Amino acid sequence: MPTHGGEVSFPGGSEELGDKSIIDTALRETYEEMGIERNRIKVLGQMGEFPSKHRIGVTAVVGMLSGDVDLQKDPLKNPNSDEIEANFTVAISALHNPNNWTWDDFGQYGKFPRYIRSPHPIWGMTAVITKRILSEIKESRKEMMRDRKMDISDSGQSKNGDW
């Protein structure tokens, strides 16, 4: 990659003829770069556009990979792709830990997050998107807990039968 060599990133790229949507583009790029079939991905949604340092809008599509991920058995790398050197995973619990993050000061551009507790630092656009996803997860958890408290307080028992 001429502009992103050596950087940690999510799979992605530009829309191509035949892509029906941003989600379709994301699933195609994920297959091309990582060899992950569309049917292994449950798309959860897409986020708003992020402006990049290259003045290109980036829209993150968020999904979950079905099944366990064992990078020793399945490196999640398309052997026909020269875009990926290696893959790694980071536990969501580790990403939620504020002690695992620092902030880089880019002067007039502001401060940007950097995850420092993985085989490779996560920084730049990838860190910004990761932090936004974590924020959405945290907010969803709060809403779920609020809803659960309402369910319990309304009837003395939650709707699913749990206490």
Side-chain angles (χ1 to χ4, degrees), residues 10-11 23-43 63-71 74-81 84 87-89:
F10 295 115
I23 292 172
D24 199 42
T25 300
L27 293 171
R28 177 187 49 75
E29 287 285 344
T30 301
Y31 177 74
E32 287 177 6
E33 295 176 21
M34 301 179 74
I36 300 173
E37 299 284 347
R38 293 169 182 253
N39 63 357
R40 286 190 63 195
I41 301 169
K42 178 182 179 183
V43 175
M64 286 180 26
L65 187 59
S66 64
D68 291 335
V69 176
D70 182 347
L71 294 178
D74 179 6
L76 298 180
K77 180 179 171 190
N78 184 342
N80 300 318
S81 174
I84 296 178
N87 285 302
F88 63 94
T89 60

